[in-house]
């Protein structure tokens, strides 16, 4: 559960920092990769930058909850399939190991680490 929360926090911070830096003209999306550009554009439509700190906090909490729910949903489906397939041999320990592998897979394959690295590189360019 803690790994899921940490990943959701990282996703939220990367997405909202991207929106903030685009709004303050610190990032030029022309220099960004296609995946980063699409993530930034969808995030800008979803949660535009707010100058009010309270509204930003509310947007952060909403985005965190959405990311947490998305990660949990991505974990539940494969575990349910494995539980159905393997039956009683798929115990709690196996479920935890499978969930950890899925979280690590989400972190690396969905590109959260890559997006964070690219955000830092784009901030250095300007």
């Amino acid at each position: 559960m803690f790994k899921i929360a940490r990943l959701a926090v990282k996703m939220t911070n990367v997405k909202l920092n991207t929106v903030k830096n685009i709004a303050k003209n610190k990032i030029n999306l022309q220099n960004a990769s296609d995946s980063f550009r699409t993530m930034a554009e969808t995030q800008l439509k979803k949660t535009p930058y707010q100058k009010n700190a309270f509204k930003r906090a509310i947007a952060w909490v909403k985005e965190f909850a959405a990311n947490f729910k998305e990660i949990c949903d991505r974990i539940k489906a494969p575990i349910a399939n494995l539980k159905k397939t393997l039956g009683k041999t798929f115990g709690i320990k196996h479920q935890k190991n499978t969930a950890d592998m899925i979280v690590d897979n989400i972190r690396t394959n969905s590109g959260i680490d890559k997006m964070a690295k690219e955000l830092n590189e784009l901030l250095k360019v300007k």
Side-chain angles (χ1 to χ4, degrees):
M1 195 63 132
F2 188 64
K3 276 187 160 188
I4 297 170
R6 284 189 4 210
L7 181 60
V9 166
K10 187 166 188 172
M11 289 173 71
T12 303
N13 287 340
V14 168
K15 289 178 180 181
L16 294 183
N17 282 339
T18 301
V19 169
K20 177 183 80 172
N21 288 316
I22 290 171
K24 292 185 176 186
N25 291 325
K26 292 184 179 180
I27 292 178
N28 186 2
L29 285 180
Q30 303 303 327
N31 300 335
S33 66
D34 291 335
S35 60
F36 188 85
R37 189 176 307 122
T38 56
M39 182 273 299
E41 289 171 353
T42 56
Q43 195 61 35
L44 279 169
K45 291 176 187 173
K46 188 176 175 184
T47 54
Y49 179 71
Q50 297 286 332
K51 287 186 177 182
N52 187 332
F54 295 110
K55 289 182 180 181
R56 273 198 320 265
I58 290 169
W60 190 95
V61 171
K62 286 180 181 178
E63 185 66 28
F64 170 77
N67 289 334
F68 190 85
K69 185 177 179 189
E70 176 188 338
I71 294 168
C72 287
D73 290 344
R74 288 169 105 182
I75 290 172
K76 285 180 186 177
I79 287 181
N81 288 339
L82 286 172
K83 207 183 264 188
K84 186 178 179 182
T85 305
L86 299 176
K88 291 186 178 183
T89 59
F90 192 66
I92 300 290
K93 189 174 184 179
H94 294 104
Q95 290 177 21
K96 184 184 179 317
N97 291 339
T98 304
D100 288 344
M101 287 189 318
I102 293 170
V103 168
D104 292 338
N105 191 12
I106 291 171
R107 176 178 284 119
T108 56
N109 289 345
S110 67
I112 298 305
D113 293 335
K114 188 178 94 177
M115 296 288 179
K117 185 184 274 186
E118 187 170 355
L119 176 63
N120 289 334
E121 290 173 4
L122 288 172
L123 285 171
K124 289 179 185 176
V125 169
K126 249 194 168 178

